[in-house]
């Protein structure tokens, strides 16, 4: 895998969240020298999705308008009960190369595949990135949590290769390839290198799945030799979960196969403050889709939707990642700073954070704190 495939992508996806949260200060960031034309408004495909999706995507639209951010949205109605993503949506993402989406409900059983997974496969968005970190002003059981979970997004148990061998017996195949394992390992180490991260941890179950997870580990070890300045270690997934809930501050960047990454990211998010806070994105060589980092398919419950009390923070911060990906760093800085100031102010919080604010209350507070 040539480095050129991923290096520019990660450079645009650099995480803004350092362990000391220096961006909470009002100090001006380093001078950014744009290229001619960089300020031209960029089109972004918008999929509000199901449940709380329209609430939180509307929150992003309002904040972008208030900032006069140089983006405009092409909105498409897509719902989880559909058999496939409409062709016009695929064409829009192909053209724009960037998409922002709310959660899409996935029916349980019944043979209907997840549209969230369909989109990742359609555009070969092989890397999922979720940043789980403590927010100043929001007490949690553990401090100094700043974990980046990088998950292989295209194969593993999510390959969707299932069939009924005989009545009452179903076979589900887990697919692991050297190509996909190497490129996700390369992405994780490049991310760590570009973000001054010190350690990459590979999560696996190679003690049981010796060939599949063994191949994943072999690939990670080979890539690790190319980055001698970055510490590399490995942890079995069940021990990983125990370590996460007992001593999460030991982890830095974590690289995982598909299913494990989903479990690890949600656990880390819960430890750091909740899934309603953590940003994330899915990126490939040419396209990116930004969404809530953990529990990306979460559409909330009916009571939250009716009360319009969904937490928009995760998608707001994901949209800041999107702005940085589009090379609008000052707009991303302003948005992140405003969101963190709202949380630190402790006057406007949704129910999952111990308050009773509506989505609109949070949006208004964020806009008020925009520099």
């Amino acid at each position: 895998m040539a480095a050129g495939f991923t290096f520019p992508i990660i450079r645009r996806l650099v995480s803004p969240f350092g362990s000391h949260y220096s961006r909470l200060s009002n100090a001006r960031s380093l001078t950014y020298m744009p290229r001619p034309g960089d300020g031209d408004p960029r089109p972004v495909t918008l999929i509000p999705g199901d449940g709380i999706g329209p609430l939180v995507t509307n929150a992003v639209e309002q904040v972008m308008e208030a900032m006069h951010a140089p983006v405009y949205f092409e909105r498409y109605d897509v719902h989880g009960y559909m058999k496939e993503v409409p062709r016009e949506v695929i064409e829009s993402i192909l053209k724009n190369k960037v998409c922002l989406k709310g959660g899409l409900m996935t029916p349980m059983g019944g043979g209907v595949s997840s549209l969230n997974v369909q989109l990742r496969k359609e555009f070969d968005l092989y890397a999922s990135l979720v940043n789980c970190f403590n927010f100043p002003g929001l007490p949690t059981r553990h401090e100094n949590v700043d974990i980046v979970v990088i998950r292989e997004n295209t194969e593993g148990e999510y390959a969707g290769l299932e069939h009924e061998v005989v009545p009452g017996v179903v076979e589900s195949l887990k697919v692991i390839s050297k190509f996909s394992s190497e490129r996700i390992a390369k992405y994780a180490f490049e991310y760590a290198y570009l973000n001054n991260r010190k350690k990459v941890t590979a999560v696996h179950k190679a003690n049981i799945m010796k060939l599949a997870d063994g191949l994943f580990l072999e690939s990670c070890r080979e890539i690790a030799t190319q980055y001698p300045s970055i510490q590399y270690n490995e942890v079995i997934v069940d021990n990983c979960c125990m370590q996460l809930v007992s001593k999460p501050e030991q982890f830095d960047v974590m690289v995982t196969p598909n299913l494990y990454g989903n479990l690890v990211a949600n656990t880390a998010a819960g430890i750091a403050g909740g899934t309603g806070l953590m940003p994330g994105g899915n990126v490939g060589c040419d396209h990116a889709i930004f969404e809530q980092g953990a529990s990306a398919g979460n559409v909330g419950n009916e009571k939250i939707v009716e009360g319009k009390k969904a937490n928009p923070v995760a998608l707001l911060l994901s949209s800041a990642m999107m702005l940085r990906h589009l090379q609008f760093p000052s707009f991303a800085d302003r948005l992140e700073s405003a969101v963190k100031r709202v949380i630190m102010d402790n006057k406007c919080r949704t129910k999952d954070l111990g308050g009773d604010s509506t989505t609109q209350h949070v949006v208004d507070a964020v806009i008020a704190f925009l520099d």
Side-chain angles (χ1 to χ4, degrees):
M1 178 66 186
F5 279 109
T6 54
F7 227 87
I9 295 169
I10 306 176
R11 191 174 288 118
R12 296 195 298 270
L13 254 179
V14 168
S15 171
F17 308 112
S19 57
H20 300 294
Y21 309 103
S22 60
R23 291 189 184 278
L24 276 172
S25 69
N26 290 323
R28 186 179 296 276
S29 59
L30 294 175
T31 300
Y32 167 65
M33 181 174 167
R35 297 166 299 186
D38 271 0
D40 294 343
R42 296 283 300 276
V44 173
T45 305
L46 178 66
I47 302 175
D50 299 312
I52 64 172
L55 283 173
V56 294
T57 53
N58 178 256
V60 172
E61 289 183 284
Q62 290 186 61
V63 174
M64 292 290 178
E65 183 178 355
M67 289 197 301
H68 304 291
V71 297
Y72 61 93
F73 294 105
E74 297 178 359
R75 176 192 294 266
Y76 292 90
D77 287 328
V78 181
H79 300 284
Y81 57 77
M82 295 177 173
K83 291 185 178 180
E84 60 183 17
V85 180
R87 188 62 209 172
E88 60 268 23
V89 180
I90 300 296
E91 291 174 355
S92 175
I93 299 174
L94 282 171
K95 173 176 64 74
N96 298 334
K97 300 188 181 302
V98 177
C99 173
L100 181 73
K101 65 178 283 292
L104 292 170
M105 177 269 300
T106 300
M108 300 296 177
V112 179
S113 63
S114 166
L115 297 191
N116 300 295
V117 175
Q118 280 188 32
L119 284 167
R120 295 166 196 164
K121 289 184 177 180
E122 176 72 30
F123 298 102
D124 195 26
L125 306 178
Y126 67 87
S128 164
L129 185 150
V130 182
N131 192 188
C132 303
F133 56 95
N134 293 128
F135 283 80
L138 183 65
T140 57
R141 185 181 297 272
H142 296 280
E143 298 180 352
N144 301 316
V145 177
D146 188 6
I147 301 170
V148 174
V149 181
I150 294 177
R151 162 191 175 191
E152 204 292 317
N153 230 2
T154 61
E155 53 183 27
E157 293 84 352
Y158 284 58
L161 300 176
E162 296 182 313
H163 64 278
E164 188 173 41
V165 182
V166 296
V169 179
V170 173
E171 187 175 57
S172 179
L173 301 180
K174 171 177 177 172
V175 177
I176 297 288
S177 69
K178 187 171 181 63
F179 170 78
S180 294
S181 298
E182 284 185 343
R183 69 175 180 174
I184 196 64
K186 182 75 172 177
Y187 186 93
F189 276 94
E190 284 184 350
Y191 179 90
Y193 169 68
L194 291 172
N195 287 275
N196 195 30
R197 295 277 184 160
K198 307 303 181 185
K199 180 170 67 173
V200 172
T201 300
V203 183
H204 67 95
K205 191 64 176 173
N207 58 323
I208 302 299
M209 285 169 274
K210 298 182 184 297
L211 291 179
D213 285 22
L215 178 58
F216 176 78
L217 279 188
E218 176 187 314
S219 302
C220 290
R221 291 167 183 169
E222 289 178 2
I223 298 300
T225 62
Q226 302 173 23
Y227 295 85
S229 63
I230 298 173
Q231 182 184 349
Y232 170 71
N233 68 343
E234 300 164 359
V235 61
I236 296 173
V237 63
D238 40 355
N239 181 38
C240 172
C241 293
M242 187 273 288
Q243 295 290 336
L244 271 172
V245 298
S246 59
K247 195 178 178 183
E249 63 275 7
Q250 69 183 286
F251 295 108
D252 192 355
V253 175
M254 306 177 77
V255 60
T256 79
N258 207 332
L259 178 61
Y260 307 156
N262 192 17
L263 305 177
V264 168
N266 279 273
T267 302
I271 290 166
T275 57
L277 296 173
M278 307 307 161
N282 306 279
V283 68
C285 294
D286 299 308
H287 303 87
I289 295 181
F290 295 88
E291 59 190 356
Q292 178 174 311
S295 295
N298 177 33
V299 296
N301 60 51
E302 189 175 338
K303 189 174 181 180
I304 292 176
V305 175
E306 291 178 351
K308 298 183 178 181
K309 293 185 176 182
N311 189 346
V313 167
L315 199 66
L316 286 170
L317 292 178
S318 297
S319 68
M321 290 176 64
M322 179 190 75
L323 288 170
R324 190 164 281 106
H325 178 81
L326 292 170
Q327 299 184 7
F328 299 133
S330 64
F331 288 93
D333 292 347
R334 290 173 59 203
L335 177 50
E336 289 157 3
S337 177
V339 170
K340 291 178 182 178
R341 289 169 69 185
V342 169
I343 293 175
M344 180 174 281
D345 191 50
N346 196 21
K347 294 179 182 178
C348 189
R349 293 183 178 178
T350 48
K351 186 176 181 180
D352 58 314
L353 302 183
D356 194 43
S357 298
T358 64
T359 306
Q360 190 59 51
H361 289 152
V362 177
V363 172
D364 293 341
V366 170
I367 291 174
F369 273 118
L370 286 172
D371 291 329

